[in-house]
């Protein structure tokens, strides 16, 4: 099928949290070369303060090895507040809105990341809803795969964690 095990785990574990996206007929890209090509193509337009620009090419390559590309349609719900999920979403293209109740908490653009809070909270609970405003492409990374990368390649893992911390800091500075 279109969605497969992308890190030698039970395929149902990999897709359980994003089954609602499969119902929307979003397209997943699994081929490693195509995933890297998509990421590389979108790198040129990102701002230096974004998550993606803070990573070395080696770290980005490692992320593409553990992630998949999700091509989304406009005006679709991607994350539901209060769900227990642990995927990290890196925006390659498009504009996404994070909301809490009726309030927009953040607009997320190319090079930015969302879904990261649930990866770090003990409860693993999503803190916002996330919607695609436009069509777009996301690099989707499972928490377990990222944790494994951090353990196996600590230098790259540290770089990714520092980039996530800087992303938090930029968000806080804007509020």
């Amino acid at each position: 099928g279109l969605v497969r095990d992308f890190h030698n785990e039970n395929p149902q574990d990999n897709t359980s949290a994003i089954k609602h996206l499969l119902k929307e007929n979003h397209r997943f890209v699994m081929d490693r070369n195509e995933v890297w090509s998509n990421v590389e193509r979108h790198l040129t337009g990102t701002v230096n303060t974004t998550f993606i620009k803070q990573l070395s090419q080696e770290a980005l390559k490692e992320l593409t090895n553990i992630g998949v590309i999700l091509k989304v349609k406009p005006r679709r719900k991607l994350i539901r507040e209060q769900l227990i999920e642990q995927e990290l979403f890196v925006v390659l293209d498009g504009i996404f809105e994070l909301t809490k109740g009726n309030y927009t908490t953040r607009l997320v653009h190319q090079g930015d990341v969302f879904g990261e809070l649930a990866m770090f909270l003990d409860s693993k609970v999503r803190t916002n809803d996330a919607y695609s405003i436009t069509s777009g492409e996301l690099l989707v990374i499972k928490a377990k795969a990222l944790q494994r990368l951090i353990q196996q390649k600590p230098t790259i893992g540290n770089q990714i964690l520092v980039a996530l911390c800087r992303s938090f800091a930029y968000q806080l500075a804007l509020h």
Side-chain angles (χ1 to χ4, degrees):
L2 195 53
V3 174
R4 64 171 171 82
D5 171 18
F6 57 94
H7 205 68
N8 298 326
E9 296 171 358
N10 180 342
Q12 285 188 319
D13 292 343
N14 284 319
T15 60
S16 61
I18 55 173
K19 280 184 181 174
H20 65 285
L21 299 175
L22 301 175
K23 292 176 187 173
E24 297 285 338
N25 294 318
H26 295 296
R27 182 171 173 257
F28 284 86
V29 176
M30 305 290 185
D31 177 77
R32 295 294 124 227
N33 293 327
E34 192 175 347
V35 170
W36 174 246
S37 175
N38 276 302
V39 170
E40 202 171 36
R41 178 171 37 99
H42 294 296
L43 286 178
T44 56
T46 60
V47 179
N48 285 337
T49 58
T50 63
F51 170 76
I52 234 174
K53 278 292 191 177
Q54 296 175 52
L55 299 174
S56 67
Q57 189 167 355
E58 182 183 10
L60 274 172
K61 192 83 162 163
E62 290 294 337
L63 285 178
T64 63
N65 286 335
I66 62 170
V68 296
I69 300 288
L70 172 63
K71 297 186 178 198
V72 297
K73 298 175 181 179
R75 297 175 305 282
R76 298 289 197 256
K77 189 177 220 173
L78 302 170
I79 292 177
R80 201 168 2 161
E81 186 179 355
Q82 298 301 315
L83 279 185
I84 297 175
E85 298 178 334
Q86 287 190 281
E87 288 77 30
L88 176 71
F89 297 88
V90 181
V91 179
L92 301 176
D93 190 33
I95 302 171
F96 298 84
E97 178 183 33
L98 304 181
T99 64
K100 192 167 202 63
N102 293 326
Y103 300 99
T104 298
T105 57
R106 186 167 63 127
L107 290 178
V108 189
H109 302 87
Q110 186 180 44
D112 289 331
V113 64
F114 65 94
E116 71 281 16
L117 288 179
M119 291 180 69
F120 292 105
L121 295 173
D122 289 336
S123 66
K124 312 294 186 222
V125 173
R126 294 288 187 196
T127 58
N128 290 286
D129 289 332
Y131 298 89
S132 59
I133 293 177
T134 64
S135 60
E137 290 185 26
L138 299 164
L139 177 64
V140 182
I141 302 160
K142 284 192 52 132
K144 284 182 183 180
L146 182 58
Q147 290 165 356
R148 193 175 304 116
L149 173 63
I150 291 166
Q151 289 172 348
Q152 293 173 352
K153 299 186 178 185
T155 302
I156 288 173
N158 184 55
Q159 187 184 138
I160 292 166
L161 290 174
V162 167
L164 285 171
C165 289
R166 285 186 178 145
S167 178
F168 289 141
Y170 289 126
Q171 290 172 46
L172 291 173
L174 293 175
H175 287 91

